[in-house]
């Protein structure tokens, strides 16, 4: 029996009311319903995006993919391709959607190659906004993009112009997590230099990448230490692999290279292991993305990115309505005595807000009416 | 050294642990941090032990008992709505509990329409929430003052429901979750109690009153089977008390009469424990969800269909402006 703290006056032995079970009640319903998560991957071809996704979710989403050669790619524009897979683990169901963006950055002229991507993200927001404003809200499908992994090539000296422009076009629409792709071609020193450089440039260009929430003050030291290490490690330098190597009963996911075989004996030295934290940051990325921050990524998408979109949308709608001169007279709020300048201003503001709300509702009603027809 | 290209059987075979189930823990941490709101309304004429019951349920003085009408306190002429909030904590979970009392209900000579102030209050909370929801800049967590549960106290006459009981429940069961209870159950013997319950349940059925948990909202077979059991046992016959006595070496909450001590939490004496387990330990979250997903949505749909959009709820008396 748990003891509870009460604001009541009397404290007897068994003060257990039972609402401490509330989190379990919530959890039970969520397990029944299942969760969903939409992850976008962006970056040029050949950065290892598909392999990384397969490695993260231990599945093969790209079985029947055909890789295009350079000629075939000449007239290709950026496409948006969705793959959905249902994953279940320990009774918890996850509907995972991966949004792929083939063609990004592959053309000769990549001006605004992110536009199809921003359009896609906005479309999902718009659909959600319509559904949310509608009459039947029982089964709203949430297709909003919760997180975008952006792959930066390891060959350069930091962010390229296309990287900067892409991230700036998206940082207020989606949680961006920049990654250094194919990190196995860099030495630890090179990785460190590249990370520092990229972090500097992210600051310099004012790019708002996804921030890990602050640790609670009452978390234990070990957790705080892990959290600190995580934050200092960004951007994560990752590798992925579709191959599993087995030897002596041990199974390791990794990439086999000819260098490093020591005296013909099997050692991990010749194997670049995806899950070895000294080889790359894959484990950190996976733990953060799935095991500790998945829920927060969804929350930030709903509370920040979506709300921004919605507020913008409403303002655009009301200014359009004002232009069309379809304003209705607002409900007057009569002051009881002669108002002073401040009160008048306040009344005017509130008047306008009420007007706006009314117009928006009218618009919503109109949309619903149209939908029904 | 052998090399496998995975997945080996085609399709998605999992090799290893991804960690998706941890999202439950992530959610849990978050909800523990933000805490919960719960709003409970009690309705019934005075003297039925409403405040005592709520205090007993939450083991805390969250409701002020009216010790009868004091000399200068008059019975209110109309039904008043009094909402009092407390924050209680248990096992790291913080709950802001609001108890909405309705003194004056059923106490007049002429009780016509005495449910109207209650209905108005319930709708006002829905309106408040709706206004927040359609606002341009919305709060992250809209404060929830909507009534999640209305406990209706049936007088233990032993005969039938009173007309006021059916009138009230008929009118309000479609806008709020109603849980009828038989108050002061210690005035009846166990047989009398059973008979009374049967009669009451029959009357509720005949009047078409859907009390919580409503049959139409059972989501799946598991829900239906759990809820059927509860519905069969309702309305719970309860006794409330905030006094303690020593019984068989234990301290228990009870009522001491000349012929014995009625133990509130003893399932052989009354059904308080069942009510508490149902209300708090298993269906607390569901009460909130039905309120949000069904009653509130019904209200919202009605409002959106009315001509013109938002008008502040006004009656002839006060103009409520929630701006």
């Amino acid at each position: 029996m748990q003891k509870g703290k009460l604001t009541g006056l009397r404290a007897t032995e068994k003060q257990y009311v039972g609402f401490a079970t509330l989190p379990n009640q919530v959890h039970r319903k969520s397990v029944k319903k299942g969760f969903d998560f939409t992850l976008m991957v962006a970056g040029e071809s050949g950065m290892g995006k598909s392999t990384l996704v397969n490695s993260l979710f231990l599945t093969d989403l790209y079985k029947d993919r055909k890789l295009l050669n350079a000629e075939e790619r000449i007239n290709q524009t950026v496409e948006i391709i969705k793959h959905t897979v249902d994953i279940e683990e320990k009774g918890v169901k996850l509907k995972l959607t991966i949004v792929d963006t083939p063609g990004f950055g592959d053309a000769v002229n990549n001006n605004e190659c992110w536009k199809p991507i921003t359009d896609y993200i906005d479309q999902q927001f718009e659909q959600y906004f319509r559904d949310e404003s509608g009459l039947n809200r029982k089964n709203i499908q949430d297709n909003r993009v919760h997180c975008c992994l952006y792959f930066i090539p390891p060959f350069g000296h930091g962010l390229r112009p296309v990287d900067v422009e892409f991230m700036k076009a998206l940082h207020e629409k989606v949680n961006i997590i920049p990654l250094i792709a194919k990190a196995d071609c860099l030495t630890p020193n090179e990785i460190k230099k590249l990370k520092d450089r990229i972090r500097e440039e992210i600051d310099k260009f004012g790019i708002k990448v996804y921030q890990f929430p602050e640790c609670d003050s009452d978390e234990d030291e070990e957790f705080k230490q892990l959290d600190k290490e995580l934050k200092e490690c960004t951007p994560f330098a990752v590798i992925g692999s579709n191959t599993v190597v087995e030897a002596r009963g041990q199974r390791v996911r990794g990439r086999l290279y000819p260098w490093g075989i020591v005296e013909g004996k099997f050692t991990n030295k010749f194997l670049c292991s995806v899950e070895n934290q000294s080889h790359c940051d894959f484990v950190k990325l996976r733990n953060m993305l799935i095991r500790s921050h998945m829920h927060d990524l969804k929350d930030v998408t709903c509370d920040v990115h979506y709300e921004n979109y919605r507020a913008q949308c409403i303002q655009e709608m009301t200014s359009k309505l004002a232009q069309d001169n379809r304003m209705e007279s607002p409900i007057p709020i009569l002051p009881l005595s002669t108002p002073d300048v401040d009160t008048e201003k306040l009344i005017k503001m509130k008047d306008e807000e009420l007007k706006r709300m009314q117009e928006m509702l009218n618009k919503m009603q109109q949309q619903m009416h149209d939908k029904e027809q | 050294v052998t090399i496998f290209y995975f997945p080996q059987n085609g399709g998605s075979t999992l090799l290893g642990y991804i960690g998706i189930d941890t999202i439950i823990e992530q959610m849990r941490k978050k909800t523990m941090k933000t805490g919960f709101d719960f709003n409970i309304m009690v309705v019934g004429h005075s003297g039925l032990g409403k405040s005592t019951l709520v205090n007993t349920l939450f083991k805390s003085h969250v409701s002020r008992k009216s010790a009868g009408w004091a000399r200068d306190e008059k019975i209110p002429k109309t039904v008043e709505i009094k909402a009092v909030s407390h924050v209680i904590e248990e096992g790291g979970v913080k709950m802001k509990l609001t108890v909405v009392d309705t003194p004056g209900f059923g106490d007049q000579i002429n009780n016509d329409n005495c449910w109207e102030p209650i209905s108005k209050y319930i709708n006002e909370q829905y309106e408040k929430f709706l206004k927040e929801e359609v606002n341009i800049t919305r709060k992250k967590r809209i404060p929830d003052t909507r009534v999640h549960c209305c406990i209706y106290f049936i007088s233990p006459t032993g005969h039938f429901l009173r007309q006021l009981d059916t009138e009230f429940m008929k009118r309000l069961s479609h806008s709020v979750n109603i849980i009828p209870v038989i108050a002061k159950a210690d005035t009846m013997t166990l047989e009398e109690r059973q008979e009374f319950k049967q009669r009451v349940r029959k009357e509720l059925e005949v009047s078409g009153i859907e009390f919580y948990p409503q049959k139409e909202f059972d989501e799946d077979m598991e829900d239906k089977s759990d809820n059927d059991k509860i519905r069969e046992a309702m309305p719970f016959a309860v006794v409330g008390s905030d006094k303690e006595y020593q019984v068989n070496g234990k301290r228990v909450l009870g009522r001491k009469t000349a012929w014995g001590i009625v133990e509130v939490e003893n399932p052989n004496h009354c059904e308080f424990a069942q009510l508490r387990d149902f209300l708090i330990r298993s269906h607390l979250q569901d009460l909130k969800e039905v309120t949000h997903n069904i009653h509130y949505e019904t209200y919202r749909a009605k409002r959106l269909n009315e001509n013109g959009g938002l008008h502040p709820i006004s009656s002839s008396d006060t103009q409520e402006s929630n701006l």
Side-chain angles (χ1 to χ4, degrees):
Chain A
M1 278 279 187
Q2 276 171 306
K3 268 219 184 122
K5 274 189 284 184
L6 296 168
T7 57
L9 299 174
R10 257 167 264 171
T12 41
E13 289 172 275
K14 281 193 278 185
Q15 287 296 359
Y16 183 58
V17 173
F19 64 85
T21 60
L22 202 41
N24 290 346
Q25 295 180 38
V26 174
H27 142 184
R28 192 168 154 263
K29 289 191 178 266
S30 304
V31 171
K32 262 196 194 178
K33 270 197 298 189
F35 298 89
D36 56 55
F37 191 72
T38 303
L39 178 69
M40 176 182 268
V41 287
E44 298 163 1
S45 333
M47 286 288 107
K49 303 189 294 291
S50 320
T51 311
L52 186 74
V53 168
N54 285 345
S55 306
L56 278 171
F57 296 99
L58 299 180
T59 179
D60 187 6
L61 290 173
Y62 302 92
K63 263 188 315 211
D64 305 315
R65 186 175 65 156
K66 196 173 89 83
L67 293 173
L68 302 174
N69 62 31
E71 244 188 282
E72 288 170 314
R73 280 194 269 160
I74 278 185
N75 290 321
Q76 214 204 11
T77 48
V78 178
E79 282 180 84
I80 305 284
I81 299 187
K82 275 173 34 169
H83 301 266
T84 307
V85 67
D86 288 313
I87 305 180
E88 184 171 339
E89 205 172 50
K90 295 198 183 165
V92 180
K93 296 197 241 329
L94 178 71
K95 174 161 161 266
L96 176 70
T97 305
I98 305 287
V99 180
D100 213 346
T101 56
F104 174 83
D106 286 343
V108 172
N109 179 358
N110 287 311
N111 259 341
E112 303 233 314
C113 61
W114 47 84
K115 196 149 188 319
I117 299 175
T118 50
D119 284 347
Y120 177 82
I121 294 177
D122 281 342
Q123 273 162 29
Q124 307 318 305
F125 281 156
E126 192 194 324
Q127 183 224 313
Y128 193 85
F129 181 42
R130 272 187 210 274
D131 287 348
E132 196 193 32
S133 310
L135 280 179
N136 187 349
R137 308 201 294 182
K138 249 198 182 158
N139 296 314
I140 299 184
Q141 258 226 332
D142 187 3
N143 293 323
R144 297 174 293 183
V145 180
H146 300 123
C147 174
C148 175
L149 297 179
Y150 183 67
F151 290 69
I152 300 169
F155 318 120
H157 296 284
L159 296 177
R160 304 161 301 164
V162 70
D163 299 328
V164 175
E165 289 308 303
F166 175 86
M167 289 198 275
K168 287 191 81 166
L170 265 81
H171 64 173
E172 284 175 343
K173 294 186 193 284
V174 72
N175 295 316
I176 298 185
I177 297 181
L179 303 173
I180 298 174
K182 298 202 160 178
D184 50 344
C185 70
L186 298 173
T187 65
N189 245 346
E190 288 167 347
I191 292 184
K192 184 171 181 316
K193 271 210 269 195
L194 187 57
K195 282 190 184 182
D196 287 342
R197 185 68 189 272
I198 292 178
R199 271 206 297 268
E200 253 175 56
E201 291 177 339
I202 285 179
D203 260 340
K204 183 168 100 172
F205 292 108
I207 299 173
K208 300 185 217 152
V209 297
Y210 172 70
Q211 298 293 331
F212 304 125
E214 284 307 317
C215 233
D216 292 324
S217 50
D218 56 353
E219 294 280 4
D220 56 46
E221 280 311 310
E222 190 190 332
F223 188 88
K224 284 192 191 164
Q225 181 62 21
L226 281 175
D227 189 62
K228 188 158 165 283
E229 281 175 21
L230 204 69
K231 289 181 178 157
E232 289 172 354
C233 196
T234 55
F236 296 129
V238 294
I239 60 177
S241 172
N242 281 337
T243 57
V244 176
V245 179
E246 180 176 12
R248 294 200 192 158
Q250 239 203 332
R251 277 188 174 186
V252 174
R253 211 156 6 121
R255 295 170 57 72
L256 267 182
Y257 287 111
W259 42 88
I261 299 178
V262 178
E263 295 170 310
K265 268 200 239 173
F266 172 77
T267 65
N268 279 349
K269 284 212 189 116
F270 78 94
L271 177 67
C272 178
S273 163
V274 165
E275 296 197 9
N276 185 328
Q277 295 211 51
S278 60
H279 291 184
C280 74
D281 298 327
F282 173 82
V283 171
K284 288 206 177 73
L285 172 66
R286 180 202 54 202
N287 289 349
M288 180 233 95
L289 187 62
I290 302 175
R291 299 185 192 176
S292 54
H293 290 74
M294 187 176 259
H295 193 62
D296 188 62
L297 284 163
K298 294 177 72 170
D299 274 353
V300 174
T301 306
C302 297
D303 297 339
V304 179
H305 300 299
Y306 172 69
E307 289 295 313
N308 282 344
Y309 172 84
R310 181 180 171 271
Q312 243 179 8
C313 208
I314 294 177
Q315 281 176 348
E316 281 172 19
M317 282 201 300
T318 51
S319 64
K320 246 195 264 171
L321 277 175
Q323 280 171 16
D324 293 348
N325 261 328
R326 286 218 315 261
M327 289 189 302
E328 292 181 346
S329 54
I331 296 168
I333 304 169
L334 298 167
L336 294 169
S337 53
T338 38
D340 54 26
V341 179
D342 275 61
T343 320
E344 266 198 298
K345 255 201 242 166
L346 195 66
I347 291 174
K348 187 160 185 292
M349 248 172 47
K350 288 185 172 175
D351 239 353
E352 284 176 22
E353 182 169 56
L354 191 58
K355 211 195 297 177
R356 282 202 292 262
M357 294 195 311
Q358 250 186 293
E359 281 155 3
M360 194 214 73
L361 271 173
N362 286 341
K363 181 83 197 254
M364 274 169 17
Q365 270 173 261
Q366 186 62 33
Q367 284 170 355
M368 285 177 315
H369 187 68
D370 291 339
K371 238 197 200 172
E372 281 165 356
Q373 288 183 333
Chain B
V1 173
T2 19
I3 302 177
F4 296 105
Y5 292 90
F6 79 87
Q8 293 144 289
N9 311 322
S12 44
T13 35
L14 300 185
L15 276 176
Y17 173 64
I18 307 173
I20 293 169
D21 57 323
T22 58
I23 195 166
I24 303 280
E25 190 53 38
Q26 295 174 39
M27 260 180 69
R28 192 202 179 88
K29 263 178 131 175
K30 180 106 195 239
T31 40
M32 299 273 281
K33 253 170 91 173
T34 43
F36 302 87
D37 285 338
F38 192 68
N39 308 320
I40 187 171
M41 177 184 264
V42 287
V43 180
H45 66 71
S46 51
L48 284 179
K50 302 190 292 291
S51 306
T52 309
L53 186 72
V54 174
N55 289 345
T56 315
L57 273 172
F58 292 98
K59 296 225 168 127
S60 181
H61 282 242
V62 287
S63 186
R64 217 174 60 90
K65 287 191 285 186
S66 57
W69 304 109
R71 209 163 23 131
D72 42 2
E73 250 185 270
K74 300 211 174 76
I75 294 180
K77 283 275 162 66
T78 52
V79 177
E80 290 180 350
I81 310 280
K82 292 205 173 129
V84 176
S85 303
H86 290 261
V87 175
I88 49 182
E89 188 183 327
E90 188 177 79
V93 177
K94 281 202 193 63
M95 180 156 82
K96 174 158 166 257
L97 175 71
T98 303
V99 182
V100 183
D101 204 352
T102 53
F105 178 86
D107 288 335
Q108 313 304 323
I109 295 173
N110 179 359
N111 288 307
D112 270 345
N113 301 325
C114 67
W115 47 80
E116 274 180 7
I118 297 175
S119 186
K120 178 160 170 274
Y121 176 83
I122 289 174
N123 286 338
E124 277 171 3
Q125 308 319 305
Y126 290 148
E127 183 72 20
K128 249 197 228 166
F129 196 89
L130 178 63
K131 281 211 179 126
E132 275 296 335
E133 236 193 0
V134 302
N135 222 340
I136 297 179
T137 27
R138 308 197 280 199
K139 299 204 180 91
K140 203 174 208 199
R141 226 180 121 228
I142 299 178
D144 192 359
T145 53
R146 300 170 295 184
V147 178
H148 300 128
C149 161
C150 172
I151 303 191
Y152 188 77
F153 286 70
I154 297 171
S155 196
T157 59
H159 295 179
F160 296 99
L161 284 177
R162 290 155 61 228
Q163 204 185 15
L164 180 57
D165 300 336
T166 38
E167 282 304 304
F168 177 85
M169 287 194 273
K170 246 201 279 199
R171 286 156 197 279
L172 267 86
S173 57
H174 295 291
S175 53
V176 72
N177 293 322
I178 296 191
I179 297 182
V181 297
I182 299 173
K184 299 207 160 174
D186 51 340
T187 57
M188 296 185 281
T189 64
L190 290 182
E191 293 84 19
E192 288 167 349
R193 224 188 270 172
Q194 276 308 108
E195 281 173 23
F196 184 45
K197 252 210 228 187
Q198 307 278 30
R199 274 194 290 260
V200 167
R201 250 219 312 283
K202 189 98 189 292
E203 276 195 274
L204 289 173
E205 213 181 293
V206 162
S207 310
I209 294 171
E210 275 254 33
F211 53 84
Y212 178 88
Q214 301 91 332
K215 283 202 197 100
E216 52 179 333
F217 306 144
D218 284 340
E219 282 175 9
D220 52 38
M221 288 313 290
E222 196 189 338
D223 267 359
K224 182 163 154 32
S225 130
D226 288 340
N227 289 345
D228 272 344
K229 288 201 201 94
I230 292 171
R231 285 186 284 256
E232 301 282 289
M234 282 174 78
F236 295 119
V238 297
V239 175
S241 170
D242 50 12
K243 294 202 172 56
E244 285 185 328
Y245 298 96
Q246 193 92 354
V247 173
N248 292 336
K250 284 194 303 173
R251 294 203 58 82
V252 294
L253 284 170
R255 288 175 58 73
K256 189 165 185 194
T257 66
W259 48 88
I261 298 180
V262 182
E263 295 165 50
V264 165
E265 284 176 298
N266 185 334
N268 296 325
H269 290 193
C270 77
E271 295 170 335
F272 171 81
Q274 260 186 291
L275 173 69
R276 178 204 51 210
D277 288 347
F278 160 58
L279 184 59
I280 301 178
R281 296 184 192 176
S282 61
H283 285 68
L284 197 63
Q285 180 61 19
D286 189 61
L287 280 161
K288 295 177 67 171
E289 290 193 2
V290 173
T291 306
H292 180 67
N293 294 332
I294 297 173
H295 298 304
Y296 170 69
E297 286 297 311
T298 308
Y299 178 83
R300 179 178 174 274
K302 202 167 52 137
R303 288 288 279 134
L304 289 188
N305 273 329
E306 284 167 4
N307 291 344
L310 286 178
H311 295 281
I313 290 184
S314 59
S315 50
S316 47
D317 42 342
T318 41
Q319 174 105 7
E320 199 188 47
S321 172
N322 276 335
L323 294 177

